[in-house]
Amino acid sequence: MNKREGEGCSRRNADAAQEHEMSTNPSSVMAAFKGFQQELDTKHDKYERLVKISRDVTIESKRTIFLLHRVTTVPDAVDILNEADIKLDGVRQKIGQIAEELRGEDIYQFHRAFTPGIQEYVEAVSFLHYIRHRSLISLEEINARLVFMNAEKADPKGSAEAMPVNAQVLTFQVTPSDYLLGVADLTGELMRMCISSVGNGDIDTPFQLSQFLRQIHDGFSYIGNTGPYEVSKKLHTLRQSLGKVEDACYTLRVRGSEIPRHMLADVFSSRTTLIDPEEGVV
């Protein structure tokens, strides 16, 4: 008998002994299944906690987006942008809780629990970045802000302040698919910003948005079917947003001089309803 056959024989003997023990001792079977139950309950509880945190991230990110839409209606947007920074700092603290929950875990086992919140956060932070810099924030810039310091504190007797111990650095990495989905949702907010700008008589912003959205559309078209399935689903909405912005630019360029500025938004809104929702943009 060679070495390989000997190892196979000993493994079969061990398996047979384990099966015999489980058949003769039912308590070992119950103990095994109780262990499985505890493991599944632990993962389920963690999943539910992540869902709740993600919901909070989504809500606060949406509130930030609503706040940012006010920049088109005020003469000085500095205060609004600073308030948006404060709100996003709070959102990042929530994401830090997600990072804490995922410490030592495979994030893709729980990805479905927190991906809606992360996509909404990407949408909010990219919207703020565009308003400030008129450019698209990169995935690396987003991830660079998601570094957290986790310090457990001990309270020794006789001390007035707790002493930080076991300080750890936690990082959260937004996946490329979540980044792309958040950027795809950003195009809808930029289209709404275009409508607000036209309503306020701003005839420069729509042309800037049109060029920017065209670049994003070209980038998604370059990815094509090689990207995540959800991205291809949102590509149609992206094309609709681009079509509405380009239609606004056409209205401003051709008829802008003959229409009073306070009526431009009404004319634009009536024209966008004529866009075929199934046609999109070529």
Side-chain angles (χ1 to χ4, degrees):
M1 180 181 296
N2 57 33
K3 182 177 180 181
R4 181 175 299 178
E5 291 177 351
E7 292 178 352
C9 182
S10 60
R11 187 180 298 110
R12 287 194 296 271
N13 292 337
D15 293 340
Q18 183 179 6
E19 291 178 1
H20 177 72
E21 180 183 357
M22 294 180 67
S23 61
T24 57
N25 187 8
S27 61
S28 62
V29 178
M30 294 301 297
F33 275 90
K34 283 183 179 179
F36 301 151
Q37 179 186 10
Q38 292 176 356
E39 181 179 355
L40 292 175
D41 287 344
T42 300
K43 288 190 175 182
H44 177 74
D45 293 342
K46 184 183 292 289
Y47 190 94
E48 291 301 319
R49 289 195 299 270
L50 288 170
V51 169
K52 292 179 180 178
I53 299 173
S54 175
R55 189 179 298 117
D56 293 339
V57 171
T58 300
I59 293 173
E60 293 302 321
S61 297
K62 285 183 180 294
R63 289 174 178 172
T64 304
I65 292 172
F66 296 153
L67 173 66
L68 289 172
H69 277 296
R70 292 171 50 194
V71 298
T72 59
T73 61
V74 295
D76 187 6
V78 175
D79 292 338
I80 292 179
L81 297 180
N82 291 336
E83 186 177 351
D85 280 329
I86 295 174
K87 285 183 174 293
L88 287 177
D89 285 338
V91 174
R92 280 189 279 270
Q93 295 304 315
K94 294 288 185 181
I95 297 178
Q97 296 179 21
I98 296 178
E100 175 66 28
E101 291 285 351
L102 295 176
R103 183 171 55 174
E105 300 281 358
D106 180 5
I107 67 169
Y108 290 101
Q109 289 187 0
F110 304 95
H111 184 249
R112 290 173 61 90
F114 60 83
T115 181
I118 298 304
Q119 292 176 30
E120 201 69 33
Y121 167 74
V122 171
E123 181 181 355
V125 73
S126 59
F127 192 25
L128 174 60
H129 184 87
Y130 176 80
I131 293 173
R132 276 195 170 132
H133 306 288
R134 289 298 190 266
S135 63
L136 180 64
I137 190 171
S138 67
L139 177 60
E140 291 74 18
E141 290 177 284
I142 293 177
N143 286 332
R145 301 178 185 178
L146 299 179
V147 179
F148 313 97
M149 181 66 68
N150 178 32
E152 299 178 358
K153 293 186 177 181
D155 190 9
K157 295 181 180 180
S159 63
E161 297 181 356
M163 301 291 292
V165 296
N166 298 329
Q168 293 181 346
V169 177
L170 294 176
T171 59
F172 183 90
Q173 298 294 303
V174 176
T175 62
S177 61
D178 285 344
Y179 171 75
L180 290 175
L181 292 170
V183 171
D185 290 335
L186 168 67
T187 59
E189 304 304 330
L190 295 179
M191 184 268 295
R192 295 179 183 90
M193 182 179 178
C194 175
I195 296 175
S196 299
S197 300
V198 173
N200 294 319
D202 182 358
I203 60 176
D204 295 327
T205 298
F207 291 96
Q208 296 175 356
L209 290 171
S210 176
Q211 182 179 5
F212 182 69
L213 287 175
R214 172 57 68 177
Q215 293 173 349
I216 293 180
H217 174 267
D218 292 344
F220 275 95
S221 300
Y222 179 78
I223 294 175
N225 295 328
T226 61
Y229 172 69
E230 294 83 358
V231 172
S232 61
K233 290 172 58 179
K234 292 190 177 185
L235 185 58
H236 175 68
T237 304
L238 190 158
R239 288 171 175 167
Q240 282 187 315
S241 299
L242 174 60
K244 292 178 181 180
V245 172
E246 289 184 337
D247 192 71
C249 293
Y250 170 82
T251 303
L252 292 172
R253 183 70 71 188
V254 176
R255 301 186 58 194
S257 59
E258 64 186 45
I259 302 175
R261 289 198 172 189
H262 68 278
M263 296 179 60
L264 283 174
D266 296 334
V267 175
F268 168 61
S269 299
S270 63
R271 287 178 61 85
T272 54
T273 57
L274 301 177
I275 297 179
D276 184 1
E278 299 296 331
E279 182 178 358
V281 179
V282 180

